[in-house]
Amino acid sequence: MKHIVFLALGCGVLMGADKYVCDKSQGSHACNYSNRQLQKAFDEASPGDTLYLEAGFTYAGAFVFRTHATAQSPITVTSSKADWLAGPGTRVSPSDLPNMPLLLTNQTNQPALSGALDRDKRPPCFWRFVGVAFSVKTQRQFDNSIIHTAGMGVNGWTISGASQLPDGLMFDRIVVLQPYDDSLTIQS
């Protein structure tokens, strides 16, 4: 008799968790984090996780994403109403804002979203932002980016080589609101 043994070590797709960042349960989904805990949700995200942000809610702060995910198990940050938006790769407009969460920096000279190195000095990789809006509340004097994926200077991070460049970042069906007469909104 022949025996076949299947052994899987370190390969395949990690199964992540669906996590909801909200203040009241959405249907059958309980809130894992309150709306005031978005940075904590980012910090605790694992490869394969999907973070659902409450559509129509404004998350105020300068948020940093660090986790190094993989192409097989990306981290997805999306709207609780992403299904209400047009399909993947389709343009959205400010009229879609009621179906999107807004990440709004309220700190001078800070982008709404920045990348930073993780504990192992790796850049954030394979994050997907789907159906999310970004903006600033105050006009900045130095860095006029709303999204800064390479995190120059975030927590002392300055790029020291190609291995510290982010990879696999995807921004799909996002709105970047630029309320001031600045030209640069996304910087990597």
Side-chain angles (χ1 to χ4, degrees):
M1 176 192 290
K2 293 184 180 182
H3 296 280
I4 299 174
V5 177
F6 293 96
L7 180 62
L9 296 173
C11 61
V13 176
L14 291 174
M15 297 304 294
D18 288 345
K19 298 177 181 177
Y20 292 83
V21 183
C22 52
D23 280 335
K24 46 187 172 165
S25 295
Q26 301 171 10
S28 62
H29 304 292
C31 300
N32 302 94
Y33 301 93
S34 76
N35 283 331
R36 291 165 303 287
Q37 295 178 307
L38 179 58
Q39 185 60 58
K40 182 177 181 181
F42 279 4
D43 292 344
E44 295 178 356
S46 297
D49 283 356
T50 299
L51 303 177
Y52 291 93
L53 308 187
E54 189 174 339
F57 188 82
T58 298
Y59 295 86
F63 301 102
V64 179
F65 64 108
R66 293 177 176 83
T67 304
H68 188 91
T70 65
Q72 296 79 19
S73 296
I75 295 170
T76 301
V77 179
T78 189
S79 171
S80 61
K81 291 186 177 179
D83 291 342
W84 295 27
L85 299 172
T90 306
R91 283 185 179 261
V92 292
S93 70
S95 66
D96 292 299
L97 287 174
N99 297 321
M100 305 172 110
L102 173 64
L103 274 60
L104 174 73
T105 185
N106 54 4
Q107 299 177 19
T108 303
N109 295 322
Q110 291 293 318
L113 181 68
S114 298
L117 298 178
D118 68 9
R119 281 173 274 181
D120 298 322
K121 304 292 185 214
R122 298 176 304 174
C125 290
F126 299 99
W127 282 68
R128 297 176 179 173
F129 292 88
V130 181
V132 179
F134 302 90
S135 190
V136 295
K137 187 173 186 176
T138 61
Q139 190 167 14
R140 289 158 327 272
Q141 298 168 342
F142 306 111
D143 181 0
N144 61 347
S145 58
I146 292 176
I147 301 170
H148 198 153
T149 61
M152 295 295 286
V154 173
N155 297 327
W157 176 27
T158 55
I159 295 173
S160 62
S163 67
Q164 290 189 337
L165 290 172
D167 188 24
L169 302 181
M170 182 184 81
F171 294 88
D172 182 24
R173 292 169 283 165
I174 68 165
V175 172
V176 177
L177 301 169
Q178 180 63 295
Y180 302 102
D181 190 23
D182 293 336
S183 58
L184 182 62
T185 56
I186 299 177
Q187 182 174 339
S188 61

